[in-house]
Amino acid sequence: MASTESRATRGPARGTRPANRRQLIVRAAEDLFYRKGYAKVGMGEVAEAVAIGPSALYRHFRGKQDLLVTVVDDAMRTLEQVLAEATPDDVAERLAAVSLEHRRVGVLWQREARHLPAEQRAELREVTKRIGARLTVLIRLRRPGLGGAEAGLLPWCALATATSVSFHSLSLPEPGFAAVLADLVTRVVDAPITLPAPASEADAVGAAAGLPTQSRREVILAEATRLFARHGFAGVSMDDIGASVGIAGPSLYNHFAAKSDILAAVMYRGDEWLRMEMNRVFARAADARDGLHRLIDSYSGFVLENPDLIQLLVSETAHLPDADRQRARSTQYTYIDEWVHLAVQVHPDWDPLTTRIRVQAAQTTMNDIALIPSLRTRAGVDAALHDVSAALLELR
């Protein structure tokens, strides 16, 4: 897989005029945006990747935003077309294949779409809605007795499982990888979840307002987390954080030496929270199977209660200083390792690599549902996510 991707993103020889130049530009931009982040990539760098001058690049695209729109839009419309041709029997295979073909786009949509103008974001959301609607039709044809509430959740879980490959670099020889991913999508589509019918507005219970903290540092961390999640780390200034807290931007330096220190403090808190919850699980678990069930509940509770924090843990790690970034990634890898260790105890015939792909799929699915407000707040979603994750890890 790695060698195929490197050939796909390698530019043509300088001075040549390949017929597929526009496609090469899109592939090079996709690779650069994925590896370095949209904010850190310039048009000159994209031009260099395909061995052309910047002026030639602008003959194809008006600017960097236009290029990002094209990268994401091409992949999403390809997915829409694939699903339009899919049947209830082959939807998992088709979804797996297109997700591997456009492996980077899950990250780009979740992490970089915030940089797009509102009009383009709205257009891409409409494509996403159509994808979800088509998946709903296919799943209900496959499962005629499925309730409306369940049919409203499972398509997004299936899509999240398929695109989970965007959030890691694990790979298997083909056609094995596509088969594994298709099997995971199938397990999600067929997961035995139950959700209560949506409550009417009259029966809805509003969330508790909560109590404000008196700690200025805590207020800064909370507001920075919210702003970073919505606009990205690069799109938020110290003045923005100060204005949200109600103080002058320079006053923030009484609490944090730099904006990156705020991000590091938030990340450290999230990582430690997960570690502490994991230790509680291990202290109470009867065996490996029980431990995995408890870890699923622990993790789903964390992401559902802290969607902004999970957004940062998933998408903003690259903005940390080197030492903090290495620590954060090491902590995340170690956390996943614990899941893999338990899963292999439950299934001794599973190899660690494929097991890790399963674990990543389960965690990514919970992450993605937590980032969709209409799904995150649905009654019974925590239990449904438990059942989906248990299906992915074959705990039933």
Side-chain angles (χ1 to χ4, degrees):
M1 172 66 76
S3 60
T4 300
E5 290 186 355
S6 64
R7 288 195 300 270
T9 56
R10 187 180 301 147
R14 185 170 292 279
T16 62
R17 283 183 170 274
N20 63 338
R21 173 172 283 176
R22 184 181 184 279
Q23 182 183 15
L24 292 172
I25 293 170
V26 171
R27 287 182 177 179
E30 179 184 297
D31 177 63
L32 288 167
F33 292 156
Y34 180 84
R35 289 189 293 105
K36 303 182 68 174
Y38 175 83
K40 295 181 179 179
V41 175
M43 289 291 273
E45 193 171 0
V46 178
E48 178 64 26
V50 290
I52 62 175
S55 60
L57 182 59
Y58 283 102
R59 287 199 290 270
H60 294 274
F61 298 96
R62 295 188 302 273
K64 194 167 70 164
Q65 283 187 335
D66 185 32
L67 190 48
L68 179 60
V69 169
T70 302
V71 167
V72 179
D73 185 68
D74 282 3
M76 293 179 68
R77 292 188 187 277
T78 298
L79 173 58
E80 184 179 19
Q81 181 60 39
V82 166
L83 290 178
E85 299 169 357
T87 69
D89 293 329
D90 68 9
V91 60
E93 289 78 9
R94 288 176 176 266
L95 189 53
V98 74
S99 296
L100 288 170
E101 180 184 355
H102 296 277
R103 186 169 181 176
R104 300 177 178 91
V105 173
V107 165
L108 296 181
W109 171 242
Q110 189 174 108
R111 186 182 70 195
E112 309 296 2
R114 295 168 295 189
H115 298 291
L116 297 176
E119 182 179 354
Q120 277 73 32
R121 289 202 307 272
E123 290 176 0
L124 289 172
R125 286 195 188 100
E126 287 303 312
V127 178
T128 304
K129 289 178 182 178
R130 294 198 298 269
I131 289 170
R134 176 58 179 165
L135 269 174
T136 301
V137 169
L138 291 168
I139 290 173
R140 299 200 81 165
L141 286 171
R142 182 181 176 90
R143 300 178 61 179
L146 194 66
E150 292 79 6
L153 177 64
L154 281 179
W156 303 108
C157 291
L159 190 60
T161 293
T163 58
S164 66
V165 295
S166 187
F167 296 88
H168 62 75
S169 58
L170 303 172
S171 188
L172 295 169
E174 291 295 2
F177 200 0
V180 167
L181 189 57
D183 176 68
L184 295 179
V185 173
T186 299
R187 291 181 181 281
V188 171
V189 168
D190 293 339
I193 69 170
T194 302
L195 285 167
S200 66
E201 290 188 15
D203 296 332
V205 178
L211 295 173
T213 179
Q214 294 301 301
S215 167
R216 177 59 57 82
R217 186 178 188 276
E218 290 301 316
V219 172
I220 292 171
L221 288 174
E223 285 302 299
T225 300
R226 183 181 66 83
L227 291 172
F228 292 157
R230 280 156 181 72
H231 306 293
F233 177 81
V236 177
S237 68
M238 291 291 268
D239 285 341
D240 293 331
I241 299 171
S244 184
V245 174
I247 62 176
S251 298
L252 293 176
Y253 293 102
N254 295 326
H255 302 274
F256 297 95
K259 187 176 68 165
S260 60
D261 289 341
I262 300 177
L263 180 62
V266 171
M267 295 285 205
Y268 183 81
R269 174 167 295 183
D271 290 339
E272 286 302 305
W273 193 336
L274 286 173
R275 279 176 180 266
M276 291 173 64
E277 286 296 312
M278 183 176 64
N279 289 336
R280 288 181 59 196
V281 163
F282 287 169
R284 299 177 181 183
D287 54 29
R289 185 181 298 271
D290 181 47
L292 272 177
H293 279 295
R294 289 174 179 268
L295 271 179
I296 291 170
D297 286 338
S298 169
Y299 190 76
S300 68
F302 172 78
V303 300
L304 292 171
E305 291 176 11
N306 301 279
D308 288 343
L309 180 52
I310 205 64
Q311 175 75 72
L312 301 192
L313 289 170
V314 168
S315 64
E316 302 300 320
T317 304
H319 294 288
L320 291 169
D322 289 345
D324 291 320
R325 182 171 63 253
Q326 292 173 11
R327 183 198 59 79
R329 286 177 173 164
S330 175
T331 299
Q332 291 167 10
Y333 293 154
T334 300
Y335 180 72
I336 294 172
D337 283 342
E338 296 288 358
W339 286 60
V340 172
H341 177 68
L342 291 182
V344 171
Q345 289 187 60
V346 175
H347 303 285
D349 56 322
W350 284 8
D351 67 274
L353 177 57
T354 305
T355 305
R356 195 176 187 92
I357 291 171
R358 287 175 176 268
V359 169
Q360 294 268 188
Q363 292 186 2
T364 299
T365 299
M366 289 186 270
N367 293 345
D368 279 14
I369 298 305
L371 294 175
I372 304 174
S374 62
L375 298 180
R376 178 178 71 241
T377 57
R378 184 167 295 180
V381 69
D382 51 348
L385 287 178
H386 182 110
D387 291 339
V388 167
S389 299
L392 287 168
L393 298 176
E394 296 187 32
L395 296 180
R396 298 299 183 188

